[in-house]
Amino acid sequence: MARTTIDHLIINSPYEEPKQYWSYDRESRTFDRKDGRRRAGYVIASQSSKAFDDPGVFVPIPLVNQIRPRVKRGAKPGIRA
C-alpha cells in the first residue's frame, strides 16, 4: 500500500540481513514497503533542482552490490560479524 509518509523508518533488525525496505516512487511521491534488500546506493539532487522537495537521482554503488552475495555465501549461522 503506497503512502506519503513513513511512520516507522527502521523496519529491520541490525543483526540480520534486511527483509524489507522502503521504495520511493518519484512520479507519485509515495513510499511503498517491499520485500527483500534494496540495491546499495545514495540519492543526489537533480541537476535542475530548485525546490527543497526534489526527489533526487539514485546513484548505485556497484561494488557493494557485487560484494553482498559473496558475504552471504560465506556467512555462518549463529555468528555475528
Side-chain angles (χ1 to χ4, degrees), residues 3-80:
R3 52 178 77 183
T4 57
T5 61
I6 298 174
D7 297 334
H8 300 288
L9 183 60
I10 299 172
I11 54 177
N12 294 292
S13 167
Y15 303 108
E16 298 174 359
E17 182 176 357
K19 294 178 176 63
Q20 295 182 324
Y21 66 97
W22 290 109
S23 176
Y24 183 68
D25 183 341
R26 293 180 54 151
E27 300 301 318
S28 65
R29 295 189 176 199
T30 58
F31 296 93
D32 194 24
R33 198 168 173 172
K34 294 190 175 183
D35 290 332
R37 184 176 198 158
R38 70 173 178 84
R39 296 180 302 141
Y42 55 94
V43 177
I44 60 172
S46 302
Q47 293 266 340
S48 60
S49 173
K50 300 283 189 241
F52 74 94
D53 63 346
D54 171 44
V57 176
F58 183 79
V59 179
I61 305 174
L63 184 58
V64 174
N65 292 320
Q66 290 173 350
I67 291 172
R68 282 180 175 170
R70 295 179 190 172
V71 170
K72 187 174 181 178
R73 281 194 306 267
K76 308 249 187 243
I79 298 175
R80 293 185 183 171

